[in-house]
Amino acid sequence: MLATSGGRPPHSPVKIAVVGGGSTYTPELIDGFARLRNVLPVGELVLIDPATERLELIGGLARRIFARQGHPGRITWTDDLDAGLDGADAVLLQLRVGGQAARNQDETWPLECGCVGQETTGAGGLAKALRTVPVVLDIAERVRRRCPDAWIVDFTNPVGIVTRALLTHGHKAVGLCNVAIGFQRKFAGLLGVAPGRVELEHIGLNHLTWERAVRVDGQDVLPRLLAEHGDALAADLRMPRALLDHLGVVPSYYLRYYYQHDAVVAELRTKPSRAAEVAALERQLLDLYADPALAEKPTLLSRRGGAYYSEAAAALTSSLLGGGGGGGVTAAGGGEQTAGDVQSFADVQPVGDVQVVNTLNNGTLPFLPDDAVIEVPAAVGSRGASPLPLRPLAPLFAGLVAHVTAYEHLALDAALKGGRDRVFSALLAHPLIGQIDHADRLADALIAHNREHLTWA
């Protein structure tokens, strides 16, 4: 990893505020922060959530995790957002407006029109964006007032749209997803090497990415990965092995919604929603958290999702606050570049740690507007995230990226201004919908199912 410059002293204790700290996933975050205290020295961690009963259970477990691992940091919790934000150096957003009940709707009513029901893409993803963006922007304004120097790290889905909202409103924000670090750990296991030796050429939009190169000690081993482990990767992604061989890259799991849309819809119609599964899982987890003898994250939590997020979050937050971000996912730009005479990643001299994040395009992918938010390797330091130069994206991938970026622009417009016409336009623009009749029915269904969260409806 490269050292950052500027910012606070690298080992100075920091205050981290977690908005949505009552999530059943929070113990995973706490465990990661406890283990990575040399990366991110947390002096105080405050959990903020209106769900006070859950907050008590999770806050108590969080303290026991810190104590068991010998972490000296203090853990507090509150349902008062402004009080929790006071003095924070970084604010992590992991909220879910409407809870699992709203997610369950996102995953079910689109199926009535023969469209994918999913919480981050398609009609369900748009519904989540409409509920979430206004709430996040309100939180960000309060961050600006209570701790104006704090960085916002957004893990709230849909990350690309939410991060774009934050950045276009002038907030100090970076979006984070666990897909890249998950692939890094997966590939390292298959190759039998330490994760820190694996660099990814990860490119696209949030939940619409491909791994174009996988480098170990600077050498691209992606062809070897596909040749020797293609069957395992395909099974894990639930995509045909022949598709991976044809593409020559490893797509994220979310590409399945695009590449196998009709098959996924047929599958989703035959089983309970993921939201229903998670709701049942959360009830079990809360029962476990209530046990005063529990002082570590339970094994059951691994089924909740979000693997390795805590490690990526600790590394990213450390980099933003001026410390080294060791322990996160290493990423590489690689190959012939589009910027000037840069010929390889080795020629790039980024000021900051290189990590995969969601940030402004600013010419990185020249076929997208500068204010689009992309998910790519970036140099991260106390001034924020700057994408590294990347090889041109082939038309097979660039076309889909451009299409979804246009949708995200319209989705953000609908989230900020409201109105059925804007909702209809965003749905019509989405490559998973794109038909008048579907967009018309889905617009009405979206508004009907989310009226309590839409001030304009």
Side-chain angles (χ1 to χ4, degrees):
M1 284 293 186
L2 301 166
T4 50
S5 61
R8 62 187 300 115
H11 299 293
S12 175
V14 298
K15 176 179 178 179
I16 307 296
V18 181
V19 181
S23 167
T24 54
Y25 179 73
T26 297
E28 172 72 31
L29 188 65
I30 299 299
D31 175 77
F33 281 4
R35 288 184 292 102
L36 299 172
R37 56 184 174 273
N38 292 332
V39 173
L40 182 65
V42 177
E44 179 180 358
L45 183 64
V46 55
L47 309 178
I48 306 170
D49 204 296
T52 54
E53 291 186 5
R54 289 169 61 126
L55 204 52
E56 290 282 343
L57 291 177
I58 292 163
L61 175 58
R63 283 180 175 173
R64 297 192 297 273
I65 291 173
F66 261 35
R68 178 168 183 163
Q69 298 198 28
H71 195 293
R74 183 166 70 104
I75 291 180
T76 61
W77 54 88
T78 180
D79 62 353
D80 185 330
L81 176 62
D82 290 335
L85 292 175
D86 279 342
D89 297 291
V91 179
L92 276 59
L93 304 182
Q94 56 171 39
L95 59 148
R96 182 183 297 281
V97 180
Q100 294 298 332
R103 176 182 181 176
N104 186 66
Q105 292 183 353
D106 295 343
E107 294 176 340
T108 52
W109 54 262
L111 296 174
E112 298 171 7
C113 292
C115 295
V116 161
Q118 215 276 332
E119 66 157 343
T120 64
T121 191
L126 176 60
K128 193 173 196 301
L130 296 183
R131 293 192 305 268
T132 305
V133 166
V135 174
V136 166
L137 289 178
D138 177 68
I139 293 169
E141 286 299 329
R142 292 160 87 167
V143 170
R144 192 170 357 225
R145 292 196 300 268
R146 309 296 292 210
C147 45
D149 294 329
W151 277 100
I152 296 173
V153 175
D154 177 60
F155 193 62
T156 296
N157 281 319
V159 169
I161 296 172
V162 173
T163 303
R164 188 170 183 173
L166 288 165
L167 292 173
T168 55
H169 282 76
H171 297 290
K172 294 176 60 177
V174 179
L176 180 64
C177 181
N178 68 323
V179 167
I181 194 169
F183 270 133
Q184 183 200 43
R185 299 308 198 255
K186 176 74 173 179
F187 297 154
L190 291 173
L191 295 167
V193 300
R197 293 174 59 193
V198 179
E199 298 178 342
L200 304 180
E201 188 177 336
H202 178 103
I203 187 168
L205 309 176
N206 180 241
H207 289 184
L208 193 84
T209 52
W210 300 267
E211 307 305 328
R212 294 198 302 182
V214 178
R215 295 187 174 85
V216 175
D217 301 332
Q219 180 180 1
D220 185 10
V221 297
L222 179 57
R224 173 187 157 196
L225 261 176
L226 291 173
E228 298 179 3
H229 304 286
D231 288 340
L233 290 170
D236 192 46
L237 295 169
R238 301 185 66 192
M239 296 182 193
R241 164 70 186 270
L243 175 65
L244 272 62
D245 291 337
H246 174 77
L247 296 176
V249 301
V250 179
S252 79
Y253 174 86
Y254 294 90
L255 266 299
R256 185 167 181 256
Y257 298 118
Y258 297 84
Y259 294 155
Q260 298 172 283
H261 177 272
D262 293 352
V264 171
V265 169
E267 173 190 309
L268 293 174
R269 283 173 163 166
T270 65
K271 65 179 186 178
S273 68
R274 172 62 177 163
E277 295 176 0
V278 171
L281 183 62
E282 287 190 331
R283 290 190 290 271
Q284 299 176 61
L285 287 170
L286 290 171
D287 286 342
L288 293 174
Y289 297 167
D291 181 358
L294 183 67
E296 60 185 358
K297 64 177 183 180
T299 303
L300 184 65
L301 185 55
S302 64
R303 292 169 51 193
R304 177 67 177 80
Y308 308 115
Y309 163 52
S310 60
E311 297 177 33
L316 174 57
T317 304
S318 176
S319 297
L320 291 170
L321 297 182
V329 58
T330 307
E336 185 178 350
Q337 306 295 320
T338 60
D341 296 325
V342 176
Q343 295 299 312
S344 70
F345 175 66
D347 295 329
V348 181
Q349 299 296 324
V351 180
D353 298 315
V354 179
Q355 298 172 33
V356 172
V357 297
N358 285 262
T359 192
L360 292 175
N361 177 47
N362 283 337
T364 306
L365 299 179
F367 58 91
L368 297 182
D370 286 347
D371 65 348
V373 164
I374 57 177
E375 186 172 292
V376 294
V380 183
S382 57
R383 294 185 179 181
S386 299
L388 300 183
L390 291 168
R391 292 182 291 161
L393 193 58
L396 178 60
F397 313 116
L400 187 53
V401 167
H403 197 162
V404 175
T405 297
Y407 151 76
E408 291 190 346
H409 174 85
L410 294 168
L412 181 56
D413 188 53
L416 295 174
K417 300 174 184 176
R420 186 190 184 281
D421 285 351
R422 292 187 179 91
V423 172
F424 174 81
S425 292
L427 292 167
L428 190 63
H430 201 297
L432 296 181
I433 302 165
Q435 298 182 57
I436 298 171
D437 291 344
H438 286 346
D440 199 49
R441 288 181 59 193
L442 290 169
D444 289 337
L446 185 156
I447 293 169
H449 284 285
N450 291 274
R451 197 175 300 276
E452 65 179 298
H453 301 292
L454 306 176
T455 58
W456 50 267

